[in-house]
Protein backbone atom coordinates (compact mmCIF):
# COMPACT_ATOMS: atom_id res chain seq x y z
CA UNK A 1 0.00 0.00 0.00
CA UNK A 2 2.90 2.32 0.89
CA UNK A 3 4.44 1.60 -2.50
CA UNK A 4 1.25 2.66 -4.23
CA UNK A 5 1.13 5.88 -2.26
CA UNK A 6 4.75 6.61 -3.22
CA UNK A 7 4.03 5.81 -6.87
CA UNK A 8 1.02 8.10 -6.85
CA UNK A 9 3.25 10.90 -5.52
CA UNK A 10 5.74 10.16 -8.27
CA UNK A 11 2.97 10.43 -10.87
CA UNK A 12 1.83 13.75 -9.45
CA UNK A 13 5.41 15.02 -9.44
CA UNK A 14 6.44 14.06 -12.97
CA UNK A 15 3.16 14.01 -14.89
CA UNK A 16 3.32 17.69 -15.92
CA UNK A 17 6.91 17.52 -17.09
CA UNK A 18 6.36 14.36 -19.10
CA UNK A 19 3.14 15.71 -20.58
CA UNK A 20 5.04 18.81 -21.76
CA UNK A 21 7.66 16.55 -23.34
CA UNK A 22 5.04 14.47 -25.12
CA UNK A 23 3.13 17.59 -26.19
CA UNK A 24 6.31 18.99 -27.67
CA UNK A 25 6.85 15.80 -29.64
CA UNK A 26 3.28 15.10 -30.77
CA UNK A 27 0.62 17.13 -32.48
CA UNK A 28 -2.33 15.73 -30.57
CA UNK A 29 -2.95 16.36 -26.87
CA UNK A 30 -4.81 13.06 -26.72
CA UNK A 31 -1.78 11.18 -28.07
CA UNK A 32 0.45 13.02 -25.60
CA UNK A 33 -1.74 12.00 -22.63
CA UNK A 34 -1.80 8.39 -23.90
CA UNK A 35 1.98 8.39 -24.20
CA UNK A 36 2.43 9.67 -20.66
CA UNK A 37 0.02 7.06 -19.29
CA UNK A 38 1.77 4.29 -21.15
CA UNK A 39 5.16 5.53 -19.92
CA UNK A 40 4.10 5.43 -16.27
CA UNK A 41 2.44 2.03 -16.62
CA UNK A 42 5.55 0.63 -18.35
CA UNK A 43 7.76 2.08 -15.65
CA UNK A 44 5.54 0.60 -12.94
CA UNK A 45 5.59 -2.87 -14.52
CA UNK A 46 9.37 -2.80 -14.89
CA UNK A 47 10.15 -0.90 -11.71
CA UNK A 48 12.39 -3.69 -10.44
CA UNK A 49 14.65 -3.23 -13.44
CA UNK A 50 15.28 0.43 -12.60
CA UNK A 51 18.76 0.32 -11.16
CA UNK A 52 18.98 3.96 -10.20
CA UNK A 53 21.97 4.56 -12.46
CA UNK A 54 20.26 7.60 -13.95
CA UNK A 55 17.99 10.09 -12.25
CA UNK A 56 14.35 9.08 -12.09
CA UNK A 57 13.22 12.13 -14.09
CA UNK A 58 15.77 11.38 -16.80
CA UNK A 59 14.72 7.74 -16.91
CA UNK A 60 11.03 8.59 -17.19
CA UNK A 61 11.76 11.20 -19.85
CA UNK A 62 13.64 8.57 -21.85
CA UNK A 63 10.64 6.22 -21.68
CA UNK A 64 8.32 9.06 -22.72
CA UNK A 65 10.60 9.99 -25.62
CA UNK A 66 10.67 6.39 -26.85
CA UNK A 67 6.90 6.08 -26.54
CA UNK A 68 6.45 9.38 -28.42
CA UNK A 69 8.73 8.17 -31.20
CA UNK A 70 6.68 4.99 -31.43
CA UNK A 71 3.51 7.05 -31.90
CA UNK A 72 5.22 9.25 -34.50
CA UNK A 73 6.32 6.15 -36.44
CA UNK A 74 2.84 4.64 -36.17
CA UNK A 75 1.16 7.85 -37.36
CA UNK A 76 3.64 8.12 -40.22
CA UNK A 77 2.83 4.57 -41.33
CA UNK A 78 -0.88 5.38 -41.31
CA UNK A 79 -0.30 8.60 -43.21
CA UNK A 80 1.62 6.77 -45.93
CA UNK A 81 -1.09 4.14 -46.15
CA UNK A 82 -3.88 6.69 -46.43
CA UNK A 83 -2.23 9.08 -48.88
CA UNK A 84 -1.33 8.14 -52.39
CA UNK A 85 2.23 8.88 -53.50
CA UNK A 86 1.19 11.36 -56.14
CA UNK A 87 -1.18 13.13 -53.76
CA UNK A 88 0.03 16.75 -53.53
CA UNK A 89 -0.86 16.77 -49.82
CA UNK A 90 1.42 13.88 -49.07
CA UNK A 91 4.55 16.01 -48.97
CA UNK A 92 5.62 17.42 -45.61
CA UNK A 93 4.63 21.08 -45.49
CA UNK A 94 7.31 23.73 -45.44
CA UNK A 95 7.56 25.24 -41.93
CA UNK A 96 7.19 28.73 -43.37
CA UNK A 97 3.85 27.84 -44.88
CA UNK A 98 2.50 26.32 -41.69
CA UNK A 99 2.93 29.40 -39.55
CA UNK A 100 0.72 32.32 -40.37
CA UNK A 101 1.93 35.76 -39.37
CA UNK A 102 -0.47 37.38 -36.94
CA UNK A 103 -0.40 39.35 -33.68
CA UNK A 104 0.91 37.08 -30.98
CA UNK A 105 -0.93 36.27 -27.81
CA UNK A 106 0.96 34.01 -25.43
CA UNK A 107 -1.24 31.09 -26.39
CA UNK A 108 -0.71 31.65 -30.09
CA UNK A 109 2.99 32.13 -29.56
CA UNK A 110 3.22 28.78 -27.79
CA UNK A 111 1.16 27.13 -30.51
CA UNK A 112 3.38 28.68 -33.21
CA UNK A 113 6.55 27.37 -31.61
CA UNK A 114 5.00 23.94 -31.07
CA UNK A 115 3.75 23.75 -34.66
CA UNK A 116 7.14 24.79 -36.03
CA UNK A 117 8.97 22.26 -33.86
CA UNK A 118 6.63 19.53 -35.02
CA UNK A 119 7.64 20.09 -38.62
CA UNK A 120 11.14 18.90 -37.71
CA UNK A 121 12.18 15.30 -38.21
CA UNK A 122 11.86 13.28 -34.97
CA UNK A 123 15.63 13.14 -34.40
CA UNK A 124 15.79 16.95 -34.43
CA UNK A 125 12.50 17.41 -32.64
CA UNK A 126 13.50 15.36 -29.62
CA UNK A 127 16.69 17.34 -28.95
CA UNK A 128 14.83 20.64 -29.27
CA UNK A 129 12.06 19.50 -26.91
CA UNK A 130 14.49 18.18 -24.32
CA UNK A 131 16.90 21.10 -24.47
CA UNK A 132 14.45 24.01 -24.69
CA UNK A 133 11.12 22.82 -23.33
CA UNK A 134 12.44 20.52 -20.61
CA UNK A 135 15.53 22.61 -19.97
CA UNK A 136 17.88 19.63 -19.90
CA UNK A 137 21.55 20.35 -20.45
CA UNK A 138 23.24 19.09 -23.60
CA UNK A 139 24.91 16.30 -21.59
CA UNK A 140 21.57 15.26 -20.08
CA UNK A 141 19.95 15.22 -23.55
CA UNK A 142 22.76 12.96 -24.72
CA UNK A 143 22.20 10.62 -21.77
CA UNK A 144 18.43 10.48 -22.30
CA UNK A 145 18.71 9.86 -26.03
CA UNK A 146 21.80 7.68 -25.66
CA UNK A 147 23.71 9.52 -28.36
CA UNK A 148 27.03 11.45 -28.14
CA UNK A 149 26.89 15.03 -26.82
CA UNK A 150 28.51 16.25 -30.06
CA UNK A 151 25.61 14.80 -32.04
CA UNK A 152 23.13 16.57 -29.76
CA UNK A 153 24.93 19.88 -30.33
CA UNK A 154 25.10 19.58 -34.10
CA UNK A 155 21.45 18.45 -34.27
CA UNK A 156 20.42 21.43 -32.14
CA UNK A 157 22.35 23.77 -34.35
CA UNK A 158 20.82 22.32 -37.51
CA UNK A 159 17.36 22.37 -35.94
CA UNK A 160 17.76 26.08 -35.19
CA UNK A 161 18.70 26.72 -38.82
CA UNK A 162 15.61 24.84 -40.00
CA UNK A 163 13.32 26.60 -37.53
CA UNK A 164 14.67 30.08 -38.30
CA UNK A 165 12.34 30.97 -41.19
CA UNK A 166 9.26 29.63 -39.40
CA UNK A 167 9.92 31.50 -36.17
CA UNK A 168 11.41 34.72 -37.48
CA UNK A 169 8.16 36.64 -37.27
CA UNK A 170 7.84 35.85 -33.55
CA UNK A 171 10.71 38.19 -32.83
CA UNK A 172 8.66 41.11 -34.11
CA UNK A 173 5.94 40.26 -31.58
CA UNK A 174 8.23 39.50 -28.66
CA UNK B 1 31.46 27.35 -38.64
CA UNK B 2 31.05 23.74 -37.53
CA UNK B 3 27.54 22.98 -36.26
CA UNK B 4 28.82 21.83 -32.89
CA UNK B 5 30.87 25.02 -32.45
CA UNK B 6 27.85 27.11 -33.34
CA UNK B 7 25.89 25.49 -30.57
CA UNK B 8 28.71 25.89 -28.06
CA UNK B 9 28.93 29.57 -28.95
CA UNK B 10 25.18 30.05 -28.35
CA UNK B 11 25.27 28.20 -25.04
CA UNK B 12 28.25 30.24 -23.91
CA UNK B 13 26.43 33.43 -24.80
CA UNK B 14 23.33 32.31 -22.87
CA UNK B 15 25.39 31.28 -19.84
CA UNK B 16 24.46 33.61 -16.94
CA UNK B 17 28.01 33.52 -15.54
CA UNK B 18 29.68 34.78 -18.72
CA UNK B 19 31.60 38.04 -18.17
CA UNK B 20 30.40 41.20 -20.00
CA UNK B 21 33.68 41.49 -21.90
CA UNK B 22 33.45 37.92 -23.23
CA UNK B 23 29.78 38.49 -24.02
CA UNK B 24 30.68 41.54 -26.13
CA UNK B 25 33.31 39.51 -27.98
CA UNK B 26 30.85 36.72 -28.68
CA UNK B 27 28.23 39.19 -29.89
CA UNK B 28 30.83 40.80 -32.19
CA UNK B 29 31.63 37.40 -33.61
CA UNK B 30 27.95 36.73 -34.26
CA UNK B 31 27.38 40.14 -35.84
CA UNK B 32 29.91 39.27 -38.52
CA UNK B 33 27.87 36.31 -39.69
CA UNK B 34 24.24 36.94 -40.76
CA UNK B 35 23.48 33.21 -40.67
CA UNK B 36 24.68 33.05 -37.09
CA UNK B 37 22.53 36.08 -36.25
CA UNK B 38 19.45 34.30 -37.53
CA UNK B 39 20.32 31.21 -35.52
CA UNK B 40 20.77 33.32 -32.39
CA UNK B 41 17.32 34.88 -32.94
CA UNK B 42 15.75 31.44 -33.19
CA UNK B 43 17.69 30.33 -30.10
CA UNK B 44 16.26 33.27 -28.14
CA UNK B 45 12.72 32.57 -29.32
CA UNK B 46 13.03 28.95 -28.25
CA UNK B 47 14.34 30.02 -24.86
CA UNK B 48 10.94 31.63 -24.24
CA UNK B 49 9.14 28.38 -25.11
CA UNK B 50 8.87 26.86 -21.60
CA UNK B 51 7.47 30.11 -20.19
CA UNK B 52 4.79 30.56 -22.87
CA UNK B 53 3.94 26.87 -22.81
CA UNK B 54 3.57 26.92 -19.03
CA UNK B 55 1.30 29.96 -19.24
CA UNK B 56 -1.00 28.25 -21.74
CA UNK B 57 -1.01 24.65 -20.56
CA UNK B 58 -3.26 24.27 -17.55
CA UNK B 59 -1.80 21.05 -16.25
CA UNK B 60 -4.64 18.61 -15.65
CA UNK B 61 -4.58 16.39 -12.57
CA UNK B 62 -3.61 12.94 -13.83
CA UNK B 63 -6.88 11.35 -12.64
CA UNK B 64 -7.25 9.01 -15.63
CA UNK B 65 -3.74 7.72 -15.09
CA UNK B 66 -4.30 7.32 -11.34
CA UNK B 67 -7.49 5.36 -12.08
CA UNK B 68 -5.63 3.14 -14.52
CA UNK B 69 -2.90 2.48 -11.99
CA UNK B 70 -5.44 1.73 -9.26
CA UNK B 71 -7.05 -0.84 -11.55
CA UNK B 72 -3.61 -2.36 -12.14
CA UNK B 73 -2.99 -2.49 -8.38
CA UNK B 74 -6.40 -4.12 -7.84
CA UNK B 75 -5.62 -6.87 -10.36
CA UNK B 76 -2.25 -7.37 -8.71
CA UNK B 77 -3.92 -7.75 -5.30
CA UNK B 78 -6.38 -10.31 -6.70
CA UNK B 79 -3.50 -12.29 -8.23
CA UNK B 80 -1.64 -12.15 -4.93
CA UNK B 81 -4.66 -13.40 -2.97
CA UNK B 82 -5.31 -16.19 -5.47
CA UNK B 83 -1.67 -17.18 -5.20
CA UNK B 84 -2.02 -17.38 -1.41
CA UNK B 85 -5.23 -19.47 -1.51
CA UNK B 86 -4.14 -21.87 -4.25
CA UNK B 87 -1.92 -24.21 -2.14
CA UNK B 88 -4.78 -24.75 0.35
CA UNK B 89 -7.31 -25.48 -2.41
CA UNK B 90 -4.88 -27.86 -4.11
CA UNK B 91 -4.07 -29.68 -0.83
CA UNK B 92 -7.76 -30.00 0.08
CA UNK B 93 -8.59 -31.43 -3.39
CA UNK B 94 -5.80 -33.97 -3.10
CA UNK B 95 -6.90 -34.98 0.41
CA UNK B 96 -10.51 -35.40 -0.79
CA UNK B 97 -9.36 -37.59 -3.68
CA UNK B 98 -7.29 -39.79 -1.34
CA UNK B 99 -10.20 -40.17 1.13
CA UNK B 100 -12.63 -41.11 -1.67
CA UNK B 101 -10.07 -43.62 -2.96
CA UNK B 102 -9.68 -45.21 0.49
CA UNK B 103 -13.47 -45.42 0.97
CA UNK B 104 -13.87 -46.97 -2.49
CA UNK B 105 -11.15 -49.54 -1.90
CA UNK B 106 -12.64 -50.41 1.55
CA UNK B 107 -16.17 -50.82 0.19
CA UNK B 108 -15.38 -52.46 -3.15
CA UNK B 109 -12.41 -54.72 -2.29
CA UNK B 110 -14.57 -57.86 -2.16
CA UNK B 111 -16.60 -57.05 -5.28
CA UNK B 112 -13.90 -55.70 -7.61
CA UNK B 113 -11.57 -57.55 -9.93
CA UNK B 114 -8.42 -55.72 -8.89
CA UNK B 115 -7.40 -52.78 -6.64
CA UNK B 116 -7.63 -50.27 -9.53
CA UNK B 117 -11.27 -51.24 -10.17
CA UNK B 118 -11.88 -51.08 -6.41
CA UNK B 119 -10.31 -47.59 -6.30
CA UNK B 120 -12.60 -46.47 -9.09
CA UNK B 121 -15.62 -48.15 -7.51
CA UNK B 122 -16.14 -50.68 -10.35
CA UNK B 123 -17.57 -54.07 -9.23
CA UNK B 124 -16.51 -57.33 -10.88
CA UNK B 125 -20.13 -58.09 -11.85
CA UNK B 126 -22.56 -55.52 -13.07
CA UNK B 127 -25.99 -55.23 -11.48
CA UNK B 128 -27.48 -56.95 -14.55
CA UNK B 129 -25.13 -59.95 -14.05
CA UNK B 130 -26.21 -60.29 -10.41
CA UNK B 131 -29.92 -60.12 -11.26
CA UNK B 132 -29.46 -62.65 -14.06
CA UNK B 133 -27.54 -64.97 -11.71
CA UNK B 134 -30.34 -64.81 -9.16
CA UNK B 135 -33.04 -65.68 -11.70
Amino acid sequence: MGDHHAFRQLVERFHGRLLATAMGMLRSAHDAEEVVQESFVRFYRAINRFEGRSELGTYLTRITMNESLKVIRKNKRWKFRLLSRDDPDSTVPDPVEVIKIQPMETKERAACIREAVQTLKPEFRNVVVLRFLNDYSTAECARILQIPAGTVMSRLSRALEKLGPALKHLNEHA
Amino acid sequence: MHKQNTWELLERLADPVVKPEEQRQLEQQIKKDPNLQDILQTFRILQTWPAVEKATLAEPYPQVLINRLEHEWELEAVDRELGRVFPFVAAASLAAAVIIGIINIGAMREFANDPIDALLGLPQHSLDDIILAEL
Side-chain angles (χ1 to χ4, degrees), chain A residues 112-166:
Chain A
C112 262
I113 298 175
R114 215 183 304 134
E115 277 286 311
V117 169
Q118 277 159 11
T119 61
L120 294 171
K121 284 183 179 171
E123 64 266 32
F124 293 105
R125 202 186 307 173
N126 56 16
V127 285
V128 170
V129 167
L130 290 176
R131 177 62 186 84
F132 288 101
L133 190 58
N134 289 118
D135 204 25
Y136 280 115
S137 70
T138 313
E140 284 171 323
C141 293
R143 266 200 302 278
I144 291 170
L145 300 170
Q146 296 176 311
I147 53 175
T151 309
V152 172
M153 288 190 230
S154 52
R155 280 186 189 174
L156 280 166
S157 183
R158 284 175 66 189
L160 290 183
E161 273 182 58
K162 285 172 197 281
L163 288 172

Side-chain angles (χ1 to χ4, degrees), chain B residues 38-56:
Chain B
D38 288 344
I39 291 176
L40 177 63
Q41 266 195 353
T42 313
F43 180 83
R44 289 194 166 140
I45 291 168
L46 284 172
Q47 277 186 308
T48 66
W49 192 17
V52 290
E53 198 70 79
K54 208 175 230 175
T56 57

Side-chain angles (χ1 to χ4, degrees), chain B:
Chain B
M1 186 184 273
H2 192 273
K3 303 284 178 211
Q4 191 174 325
N5 297 345
T6 307
W7 179 258
E8 280 169 338
L9 178 74
L10 295 172
E11 280 217 315
R12 186 73 193 135
L13 192 64
D15 194 338
V17 297
V18 73
K19 287 178 184 160
E21 196 179 325
E22 190 188 346
Q23 192 171 8
R24 260 196 306 278
Q25 275 178 355
L26 293 169
E27 279 169 351
Q28 288 286 333
Q29 195 181 337
I30 289 171
K31 262 185 192 166
K32 285 179 205 162
D33 184 346
N35 183 40
L36 216 51
Q37 273 183 33
D38 288 344
I39 291 176
L40 177 63
Q41 266 195 353
T42 313
F43 180 83
R44 289 194 166 140
I45 291 168
L46 284 172
Q47 277 186 308
T48 66
W49 192 17
V52 290
E53 198 70 79
K54 208 175 230 175
T56 57
L57 265 183
E59 190 193 314
Y61 183 76
Q63 194 56 51
V64 180
L65 173 57
I66 298 277
N67 292 346
R68 193 172 158 185
L69 286 168
E70 276 173 355
H71 180 65
E72 184 109 346
W73 295 333
E74 229 175 78
L75 291 178
E76 243 178 34
V78 169
D79 280 353
R80 226 182 4 254
E81 286 307 311
L82 283 178
R84 213 174 282 168
V85 170
F86 179 76
F88 296 106
V89 174
S93 308
L94 190 68
V98 169
I99 290 167
I100 290 169
I102 291 169
I103 291 171
N104 275 355
I105 288 173
M108 303 297 291
R109 197 166 25 195
E110 289 171 23
F111 311 106
N113 240 350
D114 54 46
I116 302 292
D117 281 352
L119 179 70
L120 299 172
L122 298 172
Q124 190 179 5
H125 304 289
S126 68
L127 194 58
D128 292 349
D129 293 340
I130 296 166
I131 293 168
L132 281 173
E134 282 179 4
L135 280 176

Side-chain angles (χ1 to χ4, degrees), chain A:
Chain A
M1 212 44 162
D3 285 354
H4 296 170
H5 180 68
F7 200 83
R8 196 189 302 244
Q9 280 184 326
L10 185 139
V11 168
E12 286 166 8
R13 187 169 160 218
F14 287 104
H15 180 263
R17 197 203 291 188
L18 298 183
L19 188 63
T21 307
M23 282 287 283
M25 290 296 291
L26 304 163
R27 226 170 262 269
S28 136
H30 177 260
D31 280 352
E33 183 57 50
E34 282 281 311
V35 157
V36 174
Q37 281 188 31
E38 199 52 44
S39 305
F40 274 113
V41 172
R42 269 175 173 270
F43 175 64
Y44 179 73
R45 286 180 187 156
I47 203 160
N48 294 333
R49 275 184 296 187
F50 176 63
E51 293 165 350
R53 276 187 296 190
S54 57
E55 262 182 57
L56 191 55
T58 312
Y59 190 74
L60 284 167
T61 307
R62 189 186 300 154
I63 299 176
T64 308
M65 261 306 163
N66 289 339
E67 289 297 318
S68 301
L69 290 172
K70 264 192 217 167
V71 171
I72 290 171
R73 277 197 290 269
K74 196 176 81 185
N75 290 348
K76 210 173 179 180
R77 272 203 300 274
W78 273 109
K79 194 180 166 189
F80 280 117
R81 269 185 214 173
L82 294 171
L83 293 172
S84 120
R85 276 184 194 200
D86 49 7
D87 189 335
D89 293 337
S90 66
T91 52
V92 178
D94 184 41
V96 186
E97 288 169 13
V98 172
I99 310 300
K100 292 189 174 62
I101 296 173
Q102 55 192 325
M104 289 295 131
E105 298 281 332
T106 309
K107 201 174 172 181
E108 287 167 331
R109 196 178 165 85
C112 262
I113 298 175
R114 215 183 304 134
E115 277 286 311
V117 169
Q118 277 159 11
T119 61
L120 294 171
K121 284 183 179 171
E123 64 266 32
F124 293 105
R125 202 186 307 173
N126 56 16
V127 285
V128 170
V129 167
L130 290 176
R131 177 62 186 84
F132 288 101
L133 190 58
N134 289 118
D135 204 25
Y136 280 115
S137 70
T138 313
E140 284 171 323
C141 293
R143 266 200 302 278
I144 291 170
L145 300 170
Q146 296 176 311
I147 53 175
T151 309
V152 172
M153 288 190 230
S154 52
R155 280 186 189 174
L156 280 166
S157 183
R158 284 175 66 189
L160 290 183
E161 273 182 58
K162 285 172 197 281
L163 288 172
L167 296 177
K168 203 170 185 179
H169 68 284
L170 290 183
N171 247 4
E172 295 151 25
H173 303 280

